[in-house]
């Protein structure tokens, strides 16, 4: 497992680190989910709360993950075992592995829908459809038994293909190409959206807060989404941190990744809401915003054919650079802890997770498998796929709680300082503030959010 003669695979450049880590963070969460929850919770006020969560919880947890991984030079489970041998802390790594399997299983299904929409956009299938027909087409896709699974398998194969190459020749290589592409596409879509007549209503919706719409549920959603969007709480950034060179400044890297993720979420909102408002459509559209509302918008927009293709390619690219980071958590564990070859680990992990995801997809169509979920003071009965999505919302904050407590209370302060300052090479003025956030602010906020999620106080 710990072979000092063999050079550990890792990132080779600063840009590679940012491309991979920001690639993990920027995903369906930013472009599919952030806009629709912003729509549901009323716009700018929600965004403001989200930004606060990112700053005081997201950022310290990301730095914590990076420093755990780089200190230990190991996967999510191995890192805890190395830093705190003989203690049960490694269970936090296990929780992360479980969360990775849960998330990638449904993530692959949703990413499969986006591939189906790339296909539909290219073959011009939206054109001439009424809004009702577009709604029906989306419903038809997700409730058909085979089609979503075929696309999910294509997407999982692409994910495995990237991960098979390893870090330098796989993940870094592809994210360095895909992330600039993603940026170019989103900027083009932004320019298109904000130059539409009537776009200003959408911009106002995004940037002028109406605090009367801010409910407790909105605050909790903002916190949960901060974890999901920044890829925190399940060891992704621990695993990636273990591939970051010893000379890199972890604090700056965490800050850059956080800013990139937040910026892209805002740019996604800016590509979507001005266009939605310009055509007089209601913004609070829920999960169908991207798959139903937007094709409708593209139908009305000059040049809509090409912008539709760009948009769904953007979603697919964003999803791929995230899914590879999730699969890597599982692969690194099996390769390092269990001594399985990277190739077998990748193939088996991707296959197992794809089968789980395919089963989840079927619970929207032919398989009647629901599970109960206790949330907000009531028991909900959900199809297995939705249940898994809800489960991940609980797992990530719990993982984040353990990670911040581990850095705050279990690791020696001198070790944390050594890692954050690269052995005294770089000066950091924020160590005290960081530890305060990791020890108290993040854990207390997560516990309150978690209890609220269960019991629905707010
Ligand atoms: N951050 C990704 C997104 O916003 O779509 C999803 C994700 C990736 C969540 C990796 C968790 C993770 F560990």
């Amino acid at each position: 497992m710990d072979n000092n003669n063999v050079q550990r695979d890792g990132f080779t450049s600063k840009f590679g680190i940012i491309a991979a880590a920001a690639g993990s963070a920027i995903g369906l969460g930013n472009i599919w989910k952030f806009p629709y929850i912003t729509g549901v919770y009323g716009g700018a006020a929600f965004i403001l709360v989200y930004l606060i969560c990112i700053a005081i919880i997201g950022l310290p947890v990301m730095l914590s993950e990076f420093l755990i991984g780089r200190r230990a030079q190991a996967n999510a489970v191995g890192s805890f075992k190395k830093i705190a041998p003989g203690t049960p802390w490694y269970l936090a790594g296990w929780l992360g592995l479980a969360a990775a399997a849960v998330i990638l299983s449904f993530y692959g299904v949703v990413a499969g829908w986006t591939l189906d929409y790339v296909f539909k956009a290219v073959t011009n299938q939206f054109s001439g459809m009424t809004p009702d027909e577009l709604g029906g087409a989306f419903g038809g896709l997700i409730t058909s038994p085979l089609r979503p699974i075929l696309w999910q398998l294509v997407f999982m194969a692409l994910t495995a293909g990237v991960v098979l190459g390893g870090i330098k020749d796989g993940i870094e290589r592809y994210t360095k190409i895909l992330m600039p592409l993603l940026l170019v596409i989103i900027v083009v879509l932004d320019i298109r959206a904000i130059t539409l007549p009537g776009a200003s209503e959408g911009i106002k919706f995004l940037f002028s807060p109406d605090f009367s719409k801010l409910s407790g549920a909105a605050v909790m959603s903002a916190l949960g989404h901060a974890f999901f969007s920044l890829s925190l709480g399940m060891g992704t950034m621990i695993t990636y941190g273990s591939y970051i060179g010893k000379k890199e400044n972890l604090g700056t890297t965490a800050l850059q990744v956080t800013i990139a993720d937040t910026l892209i979420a805002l740019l996604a909102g800016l590509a979507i809401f001005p266009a939605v408002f310009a055509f007089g459509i209601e913004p609070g559209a829920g999960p169908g915003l991207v798959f139903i509302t937007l094709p409708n918008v593209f139908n009305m927009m000059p040049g809509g054919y090409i912008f539709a293709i760009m948009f769904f390619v953007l979603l697919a690219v964003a999803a791929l650079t995230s899914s590879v980071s999730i699969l890597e958590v599982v692969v690194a564990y099996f390769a390092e802890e269990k001594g399985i070859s990277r190739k077998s680990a990748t193939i088996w992990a991707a296959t197992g997770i794809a089968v789980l995801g395919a089963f989840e997809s079927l619970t929207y169509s032919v398989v009647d498998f629901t599970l109960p979920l206790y949330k907000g003071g009531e028991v909900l009965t959900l199809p297995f796929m939705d249940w898994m999505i809800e489960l991940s919302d609980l797992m990530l904050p719990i993982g984040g709680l353990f990670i911040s407590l581990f850095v705050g209370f279990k690791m020696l302060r001198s070790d944390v300082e050594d890692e954050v300052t690269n052995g005294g090479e770089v000066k950091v003025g924020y160590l005290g503030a960081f530890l305060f956030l990791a020890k108290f602010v993040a854990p207390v906020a997560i516990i309150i959010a978690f209890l609220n999620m269960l019991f629905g106080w707010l």
Side-chain angles (χ1 to χ4, degrees):
M1 179 187 108
D2 197 4
N3 191 338
N4 291 326
N5 299 323
V6 179
Q7 172 82 41
R8 192 179 152 81
D9 193 6
F11 300 120
T12 59
S13 67
K14 184 148 190 63
F15 177 59
I17 296 167
I18 300 292
S24 169
I26 297 164
L28 295 171
N30 301 60
I31 301 166
W32 170 58
K33 197 165 178 201
F34 176 78
Y36 90 66
I37 51 180
T38 300
V40 168
Y41 291 120
F46 172 81
I47 295 181
L48 206 66
V49 175
Y50 175 71
L51 294 179
I52 295 171
C53 292
I54 292 277
I56 65 171
I57 301 162
L59 192 55
V61 173
M62 186 178 297
L63 180 54
S64 299
E65 292 208 21
F66 278 158
L67 79 87
I68 292 171
R70 192 174 69 171
R71 183 106 199 133
Q73 292 291 295
N75 60 86
V77 174
S79 285
F80 289 102
K81 284 190 179 163
K82 274 192 176 173
I83 296 176
T87 68
W89 281 99
Y90 69 91
L91 294 172
W94 265 103
L95 179 70
L97 278 188
V102 168
I103 292 180
L104 188 52
S105 65
F106 69 73
Y107 207 80
V109 176
V110 179
W113 302 345
T114 74
L115 290 183
D116 187 73
Y117 269 60
V118 171
F119 177 76
K120 285 198 168 92
V122 171
T123 50
N124 205 10
Q125 290 184 34
F126 304 128
S127 114
M129 280 197 188
T130 63
D132 274 354
E133 285 168 343
L134 286 165
F138 179 59
L141 168 69
I142 68 174
T143 58
S144 88
L146 258 190
R147 200 175 166 97
I149 293 179
L150 289 177
W151 284 116
Q152 179 233 7
L153 293 181
V154 172
F155 180 81
M156 290 301 291
L158 289 171
T159 304
V162 173
V163 173
L164 271 180
I167 308 309
K168 172 162 62 71
D169 297 325
I171 293 178
E172 180 173 3
R173 180 167 161 202
Y174 290 104
T175 52
K176 266 162 74 177
I177 303 167
L178 293 173
M179 293 314 286
L181 174 70
L182 178 144
L183 190 64
V184 171
I185 297 181
I186 205 162
V187 169
V188 171
L189 290 169
D190 276 323
I191 295 172
R192 168 67 281 190
I194 59 181
T195 52
L196 287 166
S200 59
E201 275 308 303
I203 299 174
K204 236 188 262 154
F205 175 76
L206 275 174
F207 296 113
S208 48
D210 171 4
F211 287 97
S212 67
K213 294 223 177 91
L214 209 60
S215 60
V219 176
M220 296 312 143
S221 235
L223 179 71
H225 188 65
F227 274 94
F228 187 81
S229 188
L230 290 172
S231 304
L232 299 176
M234 53 166 260
T236 305
M237 295 304 179
I238 294 180
T239 310
Y240 273 14
S242 78
Y243 305 131
I244 296 180
K246 287 285 183 191
K247 290 208 168 66
E248 302 294 339
N249 185 331
L250 292 183
T252 330
T253 308
L255 185 65
Q256 287 164 340
V257 172
T258 303
I259 290 175
D261 184 68
T262 310
L263 215 63
I264 296 290
L266 294 176
L267 287 180
L270 213 49
I272 292 172
F273 290 111
V276 167
F277 276 86
F279 294 106
I281 298 168
E282 272 299 303
L289 177 65
V290 152
F291 292 105
I292 301 169
T293 310
L294 279 192
N296 187 21
V297 166
F298 291 130
N299 270 344
M300 297 189 260
M301 178 191 279
Y305 170 72
I306 204 78
F307 292 115
I309 297 176
M310 288 177 78
F311 183 81
F312 289 108
V313 168
L314 169 77
L315 262 183
V317 165
L320 183 62
T321 58
S322 296
S323 62
V324 296
S325 74
I326 311 178
L327 185 58
E328 178 60 28
V329 172
V330 184
V331 169
Y333 166 76
F334 280 109
E336 291 176 6
E337 300 295 308
K338 300 288 167 204
I340 299 169
S341 79
R342 206 184 150 84
K343 190 170 163 202
S344 319
T346 306
I347 291 169
W348 283 110
T351 306
I353 292 170
V355 169
L356 180 63
F359 179 70
E360 285 168 32
S361 178
L362 288 174
T363 64
Y364 278 172
S365 56
V366 291
V367 174
D368 181 18
F369 180 50
T370 56
L371 285 174
L373 181 91
Y374 184 73
K375 187 184 176 186
E378 53 178 333
V379 179
L380 310 170
T381 304
L382 300 173
F384 187 49
M385 165 109 170
D386 291 348
W387 190 83
M388 293 291 259
I389 296 177
E390 294 287 344
L391 181 65
S392 73
D393 266 353
L394 301 182
M395 292 174 102
L396 296 186
I398 299 175
L401 173 67
F402 288 132
I403 287 161
S404 53
L405 291 176
F406 184 76
V407 168
F409 294 104
K410 178 67 190 168
M411 283 181 79
L412 294 176
R413 187 189 163 105
S414 55
D415 285 352
V416 173
E417 182 166 1
D418 186 63
E419 203 53 49
V420 173
T421 62
N422 298 350
E425 287 289 305
V426 288
K427 281 226 156 348
V428 299
Y430 54 77
L431 192 71
F434 162 59
L435 284 171
F436 179 73
L437 292 172
K439 277 184 169 163
F440 306 110
V441 178
V444 168
I446 293 166
I447 289 171
I448 293 175
F450 186 65
L451 294 176
N452 177 68
M453 224 175 323
L454 284 176
F455 301 113
W457 292 332
L458 292 174

Coordinates of all heavy atoms in Angstrom, one line a residue, residues 99-168:
A99 N -21.2 7.6 0.6 CA -21.8 8.7 -0.1 C -21.4 8.8 -1.6 O -22.3 9.2 -2.4 CB -21.4 10.0 0.7
A100 N -20.2 8.4 -1.8 CA -19.7 8.5 -3.2 C -20.6 7.5 -4.1 O -21.0 7.9 -5.2 CB -18.3 8.1 -3.3
A101 N -20.8 6.3 -3.6 CA -21.6 5.4 -4.3 C -23.0 5.9 -4.5 O -23.6 5.8 -5.6 CB -21.6 4.0 -3.6
V102 N -23.6 6.4 -3.4 CA -25.0 6.9 -3.5 C -25.1 8.0 -4.5 O -25.9 8.0 -5.4 CB -25.4 7.4 -2.1 CG1 -26.7 8.2 -2.2 CG2 -25.6 6.2 -1.1
I103 N -24.2 9.0 -4.4 CA -24.3 10.2 -5.3 C -24.0 9.8 -6.8 O -24.8 10.1 -7.6 CB -23.3 11.3 -4.8 CG1 -23.8 11.8 -3.5 CG2 -23.3 12.4 -5.9 CD1 -23.0 12.9 -2.9
L104 N -23.0 9.0 -7.0 CA -22.7 8.7 -8.4 C -23.8 7.9 -9.0 O -24.1 8.0 -10.2 CB -21.3 8.0 -8.5 CG -20.8 7.8 -9.9 CD1 -20.8 9.1 -10.7 CD2 -19.4 7.2 -9.9
S105 N -24.5 7.1 -8.2 CA -25.5 6.2 -8.8 C -26.6 7.1 -9.4 O -27.0 6.9 -10.5 CB -26.1 5.2 -7.8 OG -26.7 5.9 -6.7
F106 N -27.1 8.1 -8.7 CA -28.2 9.0 -9.3 C -27.6 10.0 -10.2 O -28.2 10.5 -11.1 CB -29.1 9.5 -8.2 CG -28.5 10.6 -7.3 CD1 -28.3 11.9 -7.8 CD2 -28.3 10.3 -6.0 CE1 -27.8 12.9 -6.9 CE2 -27.7 11.3 -5.1 CZ -27.5 12.6 -5.6
Y107 N -26.4 10.5 -9.9 CA -25.7 11.5 -10.7 C -25.6 11.0 -12.2 O -25.8 11.7 -13.1 CB -24.4 11.8 -10.2 CG -23.8 13.2 -10.4 CD1 -24.3 14.3 -9.7 CD2 -22.9 13.4 -11.4 CE1 -23.8 15.5 -9.9 CE2 -22.4 14.7 -11.7 CZ -22.8 15.8 -10.9 OH -22.3 17.0 -11.1
G108 N -25.2 9.7 -12.3 CA -25.1 9.1 -13.6 C -26.4 9.1 -14.4 O -26.5 9.3 -15.6
V109 N -27.5 8.9 -13.6 CA -28.8 8.8 -14.3 C -29.2 10.2 -14.8 O -29.6 10.4 -16.0 CB -29.9 8.3 -13.3 CG1 -31.3 8.4 -13.9 CG2 -29.6 6.9 -12.9
V110 N -29.0 11.3 -13.9 CA -29.4 12.6 -14.4 C -28.4 13.1 -15.5 O -28.9 13.7 -16.5 CB -29.3 13.6 -13.2 CG1 -29.6 15.0 -13.7 CG2 -30.3 13.2 -12.1
A111 N -27.2 12.7 -15.4 CA -26.2 13.0 -16.5 C -26.7 12.3 -17.8 O -26.5 12.9 -18.9 CB -24.8 12.6 -16.1
G112 N -27.2 11.1 -17.7 CA -27.7 10.4 -18.8 C -28.8 11.2 -19.5 O -28.9 11.3 -20.7
W113 N -29.7 11.8 -18.7 CA -30.8 12.6 -19.2 C -30.2 13.8 -20.1 O -30.7 14.1 -21.1 CB -31.7 13.3 -18.2 CG -32.3 12.4 -17.2 CD1 -32.5 11.0 -17.3 CD2 -32.9 12.8 -16.0 NE1 -33.2 10.6 -16.2 CE2 -33.5 11.6 -15.4 CE3 -33.1 14.0 -15.3 CZ2 -34.1 11.6 -14.2 CZ3 -33.7 14.0 -14.1 CH2 -34.2 12.8 -13.5
T114 N -29.1 14.3 -19.6 CA -28.5 15.5 -20.3 C -27.9 15.0 -21.6 O -28.0 15.7 -22.6 CB -27.4 16.2 -19.5 OG1 -26.2 15.4 -19.5 CG2 -27.8 16.5 -18.1
L115 N -27.4 13.8 -21.7 CA -26.9 13.3 -23.0 C -28.1 13.1 -23.9 O -28.0 13.4 -25.1 CB -26.2 11.9 -22.8 CG -24.8 12.0 -22.1 CD1 -24.2 10.6 -22.0 CD2 -23.9 13.0 -22.8
D116 N -29.2 12.6 -23.4 CA -30.4 12.4 -24.2 C -30.8 13.8 -24.8 O -31.2 13.9 -25.9 CB -31.5 11.8 -23.4 CG -32.7 11.5 -24.3 OD1 -32.6 10.5 -25.0 OD2 -33.7 12.2 -24.2
Y117 N -30.7 14.8 -24.0 CA -31.1 16.1 -24.4 C -30.1 16.7 -25.4 O -30.4 17.5 -26.3 CB -31.3 17.1 -23.2 CG -32.7 17.0 -22.8 CD1 -33.3 15.8 -22.4 CD2 -33.6 18.1 -22.9 CE1 -34.6 15.7 -22.0 CE2 -34.9 18.1 -22.5 CZ -35.4 16.9 -22.1 OH -36.8 16.8 -21.8
V118 N -28.8 16.4 -25.3 CA -27.8 16.8 -26.3 C -28.3 16.2 -27.7 O -28.4 16.9 -28.7 CB -26.4 16.3 -26.0 CG1 -25.5 16.5 -27.2 CG2 -25.8 17.0 -24.8
F119 N -28.6 14.9 -27.6 CA -29.1 14.2 -28.8 C -30.3 14.9 -29.4 O -30.4 15.1 -30.6 CB -29.3 12.7 -28.5 CG -29.9 11.9 -29.6 CD1 -29.0 11.5 -30.6 CD2 -31.2 11.6 -29.7 CE1 -29.5 10.7 -31.7 CE2 -31.7 10.8 -30.7 CZ -30.9 10.4 -31.7
K120 N -31.3 15.1 -28.5 CA -32.5 15.8 -29.0 C -32.3 17.1 -29.6 O -32.9 17.5 -30.5 CB -33.5 15.9 -27.8 CG -34.2 14.6 -27.4 CD -35.4 14.9 -26.6 CE -36.3 13.6 -26.4 NZ -35.9 12.9 -25.1
A121 N -31.3 17.9 -29.0 CA -31.1 19.2 -29.4 C -30.4 19.2 -30.8 O -30.8 19.9 -31.7 CB -30.2 20.0 -28.4
V122 N -29.5 18.3 -31.0 CA -28.8 18.2 -32.2 C -29.7 17.7 -33.3 O -29.7 18.3 -34.5 CB -27.6 17.1 -32.1 CG1 -27.0 16.8 -33.5 CG2 -26.5 17.7 -31.2
T123 N -30.6 16.8 -33.0 CA -31.6 16.4 -34.1 C -32.8 17.2 -34.1 O -33.8 16.9 -34.7 CB -32.0 14.9 -33.8 OG1 -32.4 14.8 -32.4 CG2 -30.8 13.9 -34.1
N124 N -32.7 18.4 -33.5 CA -33.8 19.4 -33.6 C -35.2 18.9 -33.2 O -36.2 19.3 -33.8 CB -33.8 20.0 -35.0 CG -34.4 21.4 -35.1 OD1 -34.5 22.0 -34.0 ND2 -34.7 21.9 -36.2
Q125 N -35.2 18.1 -32.1 CA -36.5 17.6 -31.8 C -37.4 18.5 -30.9 O -38.6 18.2 -30.8 CB -36.3 16.3 -31.0 CG -35.8 15.2 -31.9 CD -35.6 13.9 -31.1 OE1 -36.4 13.5 -30.2 NE2 -34.6 13.1 -31.4
F126 N -36.8 19.6 -30.4 CA -37.7 20.5 -29.6 C -38.5 21.4 -30.4 O -39.6 21.8 -30.0 CB -36.8 21.3 -28.7 CG -35.9 20.6 -27.8 CD1 -34.6 20.9 -27.7 CD2 -36.4 19.6 -27.0 CE1 -33.7 20.2 -26.9 CE2 -35.5 18.9 -26.1 CZ -34.2 19.2 -26.1
S127 N -38.0 21.6 -31.6 CA -38.7 22.7 -32.4 C -40.1 22.4 -32.7 O -40.5 21.2 -33.0 CB -37.8 22.9 -33.7 OG -38.5 22.6 -34.8
G128 N -41.0 23.4 -32.5 CA -42.4 23.2 -32.8 C -43.2 22.6 -31.7 O -44.4 22.4 -31.7
M129 N -42.5 22.2 -30.6 CA -43.2 21.6 -29.5 C -43.8 22.7 -28.6 O -43.2 23.7 -28.3 CB -42.3 20.7 -28.6 CG -42.0 19.4 -29.1 SD -41.3 18.4 -27.7 CE -40.8 17.0 -28.6
T130 N -45.0 22.4 -28.1 CA -45.7 23.4 -27.2 C -45.1 23.1 -25.8 O -44.5 22.1 -25.6 CB -47.2 23.1 -27.1 OG1 -47.4 21.8 -26.6 CG2 -47.8 23.2 -28.5
P131 N -45.2 24.1 -24.9 CA -44.7 23.9 -23.5 C -45.2 22.6 -22.9 O -44.5 21.8 -22.3 CB -45.2 25.1 -22.7 CG -45.3 26.2 -23.8 CD -45.7 25.5 -25.0
D132 N -46.5 22.3 -23.1 CA -47.0 21.0 -22.6 C -46.4 19.8 -23.2 O -46.1 18.8 -22.5 CB -48.5 20.9 -22.9 CG -49.3 21.7 -21.8 OD1 -48.7 22.1 -20.8 OD2 -50.6 21.8 -22.0
E133 N -46.1 19.9 -24.5 CA -45.5 18.7 -25.1 C -44.0 18.6 -24.6 O -43.5 17.4 -24.4 CB -45.4 18.9 -26.6 CG -46.8 18.7 -27.3 CD -46.9 19.2 -28.7 OE1 -46.0 19.9 -29.2 OE2 -47.8 18.7 -29.4
L134 N -43.4 19.7 -24.3 CA -42.0 19.6 -23.8 C -42.0 19.0 -22.4 O -41.2 18.1 -22.1 CB -41.4 21.0 -23.7 CG -41.0 21.6 -25.1 CD1 -40.7 23.1 -25.0 CD2 -39.7 20.8 -25.6
G135 N -43.0 19.3 -21.6 CA -43.2 18.7 -20.3 C -43.4 17.2 -20.4 O -42.8 16.4 -19.7
G136 N -44.3 16.9 -21.4 CA -44.6 15.5 -21.6 C -43.3 14.7 -22.1 O -43.1 13.6 -21.7
A137 N -42.5 15.4 -22.9 CA -41.3 14.7 -23.4 C -40.3 14.4 -22.3 O -39.8 13.3 -22.2 CB -40.6 15.6 -24.5
F138 N -40.2 15.3 -21.4 CA -39.3 15.1 -20.2 C -39.8 14.0 -19.3 O -39.1 13.0 -19.0 CB -39.1 16.4 -19.4 CG -38.2 16.2 -18.2 CD1 -36.9 15.7 -18.4 CD2 -38.6 16.4 -16.9 CE1 -36.0 15.6 -17.3 CE2 -37.8 16.3 -15.8 CZ -36.5 15.8 -16.0
G139 N -41.1 14.1 -19.0 CA -41.8 13.0 -18.2 C -41.6 11.7 -18.9 O -41.4 10.7 -18.3
G140 N -41.8 11.7 -20.2 CA -41.7 10.4 -21.0 C -40.3 9.8 -20.9 O -40.2 8.6 -20.8
L141 N -39.3 10.7 -21.0 CA -38.0 10.2 -20.9 C -37.7 9.5 -19.6 O -37.3 8.3 -19.5 CB -37.0 11.3 -21.1 CG -35.5 10.9 -20.8 CD1 -35.0 9.9 -21.8 CD2 -34.6 12.2 -20.7
I142 N -38.0 10.3 -18.5 CA -37.5 9.7 -17.2 C -38.4 8.5 -16.7 O -37.9 7.7 -15.9 CB -37.4 10.8 -16.1 CG1 -38.8 11.3 -15.7 CG2 -36.5 11.9 -16.5 CD1 -38.7 12.3 -14.5
T143 N -39.6 8.4 -17.3 CA -40.4 7.2 -16.9 C -40.3 6.1 -17.9 O -41.1 5.2 -17.8 CB -41.9 7.6 -16.7 OG1 -42.3 8.2 -17.9 CG2 -42.0 8.6 -15.5
S144 N -39.5 6.3 -18.9 CA -39.3 5.1 -19.8 C -38.3 4.2 -19.2 O -37.3 4.6 -18.6 CB -39.0 5.6 -21.2 OG -37.6 5.7 -21.4
P145 N -38.5 2.9 -19.4 CA -37.5 2.0 -18.7 C -36.1 1.9 -19.3 O -35.2 1.9 -18.5 CB -38.2 0.6 -18.8 CG -39.4 0.8 -19.7 CD -39.6 2.2 -20.0
L146 N -36.0 1.9 -20.6 CA -34.7 1.6 -21.2 C -33.9 2.8 -21.5 O -32.7 2.8 -21.2 CB -34.9 0.8 -22.5 CG -34.7 -0.7 -22.4 CD1 -34.7 -1.3 -23.7 CD2 -33.3 -1.0 -21.7
R147 N -34.5 3.8 -22.1 CA -33.7 4.9 -22.7 C -32.8 5.6 -21.7 O -31.6 5.8 -22.0 CB -34.7 5.9 -23.3 CG -34.1 6.8 -24.3 CD -35.2 7.7 -25.0 NE -34.6 8.8 -25.6 CZ -34.3 8.7 -26.9 NH1 -34.7 7.7 -27.7 NH2 -33.7 9.8 -27.5
P148 N -33.3 6.0 -20.5 CA -32.4 6.7 -19.6 C -31.3 5.8 -19.2 O -30.1 6.2 -18.9 CB -33.3 7.0 -18.4 CG -34.7 6.5 -18.7 CD -34.7 5.8 -20.0
I149 N -31.5 4.5 -19.1 CA -30.4 3.6 -18.6 C -29.3 3.5 -19.7 O -28.2 3.4 -19.4 CB -31.0 2.2 -18.3 CG1 -31.9 2.3 -17.1 CG2 -29.9 1.2 -18.0 CD1 -32.5 1.0 -16.6
L150 N -29.8 3.4 -21.0 CA -28.8 3.4 -22.0 C -27.8 4.6 -22.0 O -26.6 4.5 -22.0 CB -29.4 3.3 -23.4 CG -30.1 2.0 -23.7 CD1 -30.8 2.0 -25.1 CD2 -29.1 0.8 -23.6
W151 N -28.4 5.8 -21.8 CA -27.6 7.0 -21.8 C -26.8 7.0 -20.5 O -25.7 7.5 -20.5 CB -28.5 8.2 -21.8 CG -29.0 8.5 -23.2 CD1 -30.3 8.5 -23.6 CD2 -28.3 8.9 -24.4 NE1 -30.4 8.8 -24.9 CE2 -29.2 9.1 -25.4 CE3 -26.9 9.0 -24.6 CZ2 -28.8 9.4 -26.7 CZ3 -26.5 9.4 -25.9 CH2 -27.4 9.6 -26.9
Q152 N -27.4 6.5 -19.4 CA -26.6 6.5 -18.2 C -25.4 5.6 -18.3 O -24.3 5.9 -17.9 CB -27.5 5.9 -17.0 CG -26.8 5.8 -15.7 CD -27.0 4.4 -15.1 OE1 -27.5 3.5 -15.7 NE2 -26.6 4.2 -13.8
L153 N -25.5 4.5 -19.1 CA -24.4 3.6 -19.3 C -23.3 4.2 -20.1 O -22.1 4.1 -19.9 CB -24.9 2.2 -19.9 CG -25.7 1.4 -19.0 CD1 -26.1 0.1 -19.7 CD2 -25.0 1.1 -17.7
V154 N -23.8 5.0 -21.1 CA -22.8 5.7 -22.0 C -22.0 6.7 -21.1 O -20.8 6.8 -21.1 CB -23.5 6.5 -23.1 CG1 -22.5 7.4 -23.8 CG2 -24.2 5.6 -24.1
F155 N -22.7 7.4 -20.2 CA -22.1 8.4 -19.4 C -21.1 7.7 -18.4 O -20.0 8.2 -18.2 CB -23.2 9.2 -18.6 CG -22.5 10.2 -17.7 CD1 -22.1 11.5 -18.2 CD2 -22.4 10.0 -16.3 CE1 -21.5 12.4 -17.4 CE2 -21.8 10.9 -15.5 CZ -21.3 12.1 -16.1
M156 N -21.5 6.6 -17.8 CA -20.7 5.9 -16.8 C -19.4 5.4 -17.5 O -18.3 5.3 -16.9 CB -21.4 4.8 -16.1 CG -22.5 5.3 -15.1 SD -21.8 6.3 -13.8 CE -20.9 5.1 -12.9
A157 N -19.6 4.9 -18.8 CA -18.4 4.4 -19.5 C -17.4 5.6 -19.8 O -16.2 5.4 -19.6 CB -18.9 3.8 -20.8
L158 N -18.0 6.8 -20.1 CA -17.1 7.9 -20.3 C -16.3 8.2 -19.0 O -15.1 8.5 -19.0 CB -17.9 9.2 -20.7 CG -18.5 9.2 -22.1 CD1 -19.4 10.3 -22.3 CD2 -17.3 9.2 -23.2
T159 N -17.1 8.2 -17.9 CA -16.5 8.5 -16.6 C -15.3 7.5 -16.3 O -14.2 7.9 -15.9 CB -17.5 8.4 -15.5 OG1 -18.6 9.3 -15.8 CG2 -17.0 8.7 -14.1
A160 N -15.6 6.2 -16.5 CA -14.6 5.2 -16.2 C -13.4 5.4 -17.2 O -12.3 5.2 -16.7 CB -15.3 3.8 -16.4
G161 N -13.7 5.8 -18.4 CA -12.6 5.9 -19.4 C -11.6 7.0 -18.9 O -10.4 6.8 -19.0
V162 N -12.1 8.1 -18.4 CA -11.2 9.1 -17.9 C -10.5 8.6 -16.6 O -9.2 8.8 -16.5 CB -12.0 10.4 -17.5 CG1 -11.1 11.4 -16.8 CG2 -12.7 11.0 -18.8
V163 N -11.2 8.0 -15.7 CA -10.5 7.6 -14.5 C -9.5 6.5 -14.7 O -8.5 6.4 -14.0 CB -11.6 7.1 -13.4 CG1 -11.0 6.5 -12.2 CG2 -12.5 8.3 -13.0
L164 N -9.7 5.6 -15.7 CA -8.8 4.6 -16.1 C -7.4 5.2 -16.4 O -6.4 4.5 -16.1 CB -9.2 3.8 -17.3 CG -10.1 2.6 -17.1 CD1 -10.5 2.0 -18.5 CD2 -9.4 1.6 -16.2
G165 N -7.3 6.4 -16.9 CA -6.1 7.0 -17.2 C -5.2 7.4 -16.0 O -4.1 7.8 -16.2
G166 N -5.9 7.4 -14.9 CA -5.1 7.9 -13.7 C -5.3 9.4 -13.4 O -6.2 10.0 -14.0
I167 N -4.4 10.0 -12.7 CA -4.6 11.4 -12.4 C -4.0 12.2 -13.4 O -4.6 13.0 -14.1 CB -3.9 11.7 -11.0 CG1 -4.4 10.7 -9.9 CG2 -4.2 13.1 -10.6 CD1 -5.9 10.6 -9.8
K168 N -2.7 12.1 -13.6 CA -2.0 13.0 -14.6 C -2.5 12.7 -16.0 O -2.8 13.7 -16.7 CB -0.5 12.6 -14.5 CG 0.4 13.3 -15.5 CD 1.9 13.2 -15.1 CE 2.5 11.9 -14.9 NZ 2.7 11.0 -16.1

